[in-house]
Amino acid sequence: MQNVSTYVPTPGSAASTVFAVSADEADVFVEKFRSIHYARFIRAEGARVRIQIAVGEKVESCKVSPARLGIAPEIDGNRVSFLLPERTRHLLVRVNQLEDLIILADPPETVKPKLGGTNVVDIMTFGVDNTGNTVETDKIQQAIDSVIASPDKDTLYFPRGCYRTGTLRINGSMKIYLEEGALIKGSLGFDDYPVFERYRKRKFLLVYDTDGFELSGRGVIDGEGAALNDKYQTDESKLIDLFETINCRNVVIRDVILRNSSNWACLLSNTEDAVVDNVKVLNVPHHLWMDAFDVSCCKRISYENCFAYSHDDCWAIMTLNRYRRLERAETSNITVRNCTGWTPCSGTRIGWNSKDRIDGILFENVDFVFAELQHIAIHRLKGGALYGTIVFNNCGFERCSESSRFLLCAGPDHEPGESVDVEELRFIDCSIDGPAQDRAVVRGGADYGVKEVVFDNVLAGGKAVTSVSDLSDMGFDFVNVSGVSVASKIGGIG
């Protein structure tokens, strides 16, 4: 294939009047979505692609994140150009004082069901309106139930078009595929999202008590969260999670865009063995509670190659135990790898309102390109529960000077100045671009405390951290911490 292939625009999308983007001279549609602009295309494996951006004014400044990539844009009048590194999928570009531009470079789609295949059901055979003018909840739910009940069908295929619906519930093994140009869009009527008494919450797309579910494709799911929240203001009983799995196993979520949720966008609860790959969450700032990726009471969850642009936390890792009919459970073996996050809240929030142990948390090659409150928040677990290991390996933390703090230890529900009990907190091969506005206090509890904090080959403000004194200069304090160790390939051990 050629180096670059372009997507058809999402139905009803508005073209940006601020940015024009091309990739290897192929024009890429730039969608204006609330206060951001994003360009998405397919890049051939291994291809190095030149990105060109044009704006309607002279370019005075241009910054490309993740900064660790070292991309130095070439500026010529009202144009910017640079090479997209080979394996990079997500960039955030800031030109002058304009709104953010997001570049999303997808790999080729390798696994795609064939419309007309013996195991595939076309949603259009159920007589749905794919213009978005009719709320088609009943027909779409009928199609879902039909595939689950079928002995020889396992995939429900949504071709290009706009499908307007309220709550959809999945209670059996199946696959949903959204073709490029397919948009599942939330109803604007609150009554179309009834409370599901079995699990007490309002959902847009709910998968429950299921072993084997897949949501994939290059389409979009839009919860109409901004419109719904404008309508119902601060009534928390009317918040609607965009997508949730409850009491599930063997889940795959791949390639889709989840956007504009009323509440949390992608929540996994009491779920085991799930992969979330190449998923983008676009929760452009509008109201609180718009987390991107949340996981609670889960085991063996992997987030790979994901992008979060979210008004609330990018990744929240918890043990809420919010469903009383299910046994209490810990959260363990959660991996976030090759991902990028932007938020005016927390890059990751661990342990909010949580009741049970959290262990085996790994962030690897993750770039937190902006986190206004703090890059990392760790909450005290209720009932004396302990954290195991929390590791940040080869991660980048940007725009720290614009953050209130780099790291916060807090009470279960955001109470400031509290302590946490952790076996090990480790930073390996990480880059922190400078001190934040307030000091980062790693505060252990009086009885157990924090057993070990490790900084191994960490750069802070562009300099190697070689001693605890360097950490103090960077705004770190340690209280009730049994051991703080610093190792550097440049400066030895401190």
Side-chain angles (χ1 to χ4, degrees), residues 165-358:
T165 180
T167 294
L168 299 172
R169 296 172 183 160
I170 296 166
N171 182 216
S173 180
M174 71 170 301
K175 301 176 182 179
I176 292 178
Y177 180 81
L178 307 183
E179 186 181 65
E180 163 198 348
L183 170 65
I184 297 180
K185 199 165 189 178
S187 165
L188 295 174
F190 180 71
D191 291 340
D192 290 322
Y193 306 95
V195 171
F196 185 30
E197 293 303 328
R198 186 180 182 90
Y199 289 116
R200 302 182 300 113
K201 300 288 183 179
R202 300 183 192 275
K203 313 292 178 186
F204 184 31
L205 181 57
L206 171 63
V207 187
Y208 67 98
D209 302 345
T210 292
D211 187 348
F213 172 77
E214 181 175 312
L215 170 66
S216 65
R218 301 294 168 92
V220 176
I221 299 179
D222 186 314
E224 287 281 23
L228 287 167
N229 284 70
D230 280 345
K231 199 171 184 179
Y232 300 110
Q233 299 298 317
T234 58
D235 186 346
E236 292 189 37
S237 69
K238 291 182 168 60
L239 295 174
I240 303 159
D241 294 326
L242 185 64
F243 174 86
E244 183 175 9
T245 65
I246 305 175
N247 194 32
C248 293
R249 295 181 59 115
N250 300 310
V251 172
V252 175
I253 311 165
R254 179 176 290 121
D255 290 343
V256 294
I257 290 179
L258 305 175
R259 71 184 194 187
N260 197 17
S261 64
S262 167
N263 199 47
W264 296 348
C266 183
L267 169 60
L268 307 181
S269 297
N270 299 80
T271 293
E272 298 182 0
D273 302 302
V275 175
V276 184
D277 181 25
N278 197 37
V279 173
K280 296 91 170 172
V281 172
L282 301 178
N283 270 348
V284 181
H286 179 267
H287 56 275
L288 296 176
W289 313 296
M290 295 169 64
D291 286 8
F293 299 100
D294 296 83
V295 58
S296 175
C297 306
C298 293
K299 294 180 175 65
R300 298 177 300 278
I301 309 297
S302 177
Y303 297 90
E304 305 275 352
N305 309 304
C306 293
F307 179 83
Y309 192 103
S310 187
H311 193 162
D312 216 320
D313 308 322
C314 291
W315 281 271
I317 300 170
M318 305 164 286
T319 52
L320 296 176
N321 282 294
R322 67 199 310 208
Y323 302 115
R324 295 174 185 171
R325 65 178 298 273
L326 300 176
E327 293 183 4
R328 289 179 61 163
E330 300 178 352
T331 287
S332 63
N333 297 317
I334 310 301
T335 299
V336 182
R337 181 181 287 118
N338 300 332
C339 296
T340 305
W342 179 103
T343 176
C345 197
S346 299
T348 181
R349 186 178 298 281
I350 305 174
W352 174 76
N353 260 332
S354 294
K355 305 172 183 178
D356 291 280
R357 181 176 173 84
I358 296 174

Side-chain angles (χ1 to χ4, degrees), residues 125-167:
T125 62
F126 286 80
V128 300
D129 171 19
N130 69 346
T131 68
N133 293 322
T134 307
V135 177
E136 295 282 33
T137 309
D138 291 343
K139 291 179 181 178
I140 297 174
Q141 186 66 58
Q142 180 186 359
I144 289 170
D145 296 341
S146 174
V147 171
I148 292 173
S150 172
D152 55 359
K153 308 290 185 183
D154 64 6
T155 301
L156 182 60
Y157 192 113
F158 286 78
R160 295 176 184 176
C162 180
Y163 305 88
R164 181 82 68 170
T165 180
T167 294

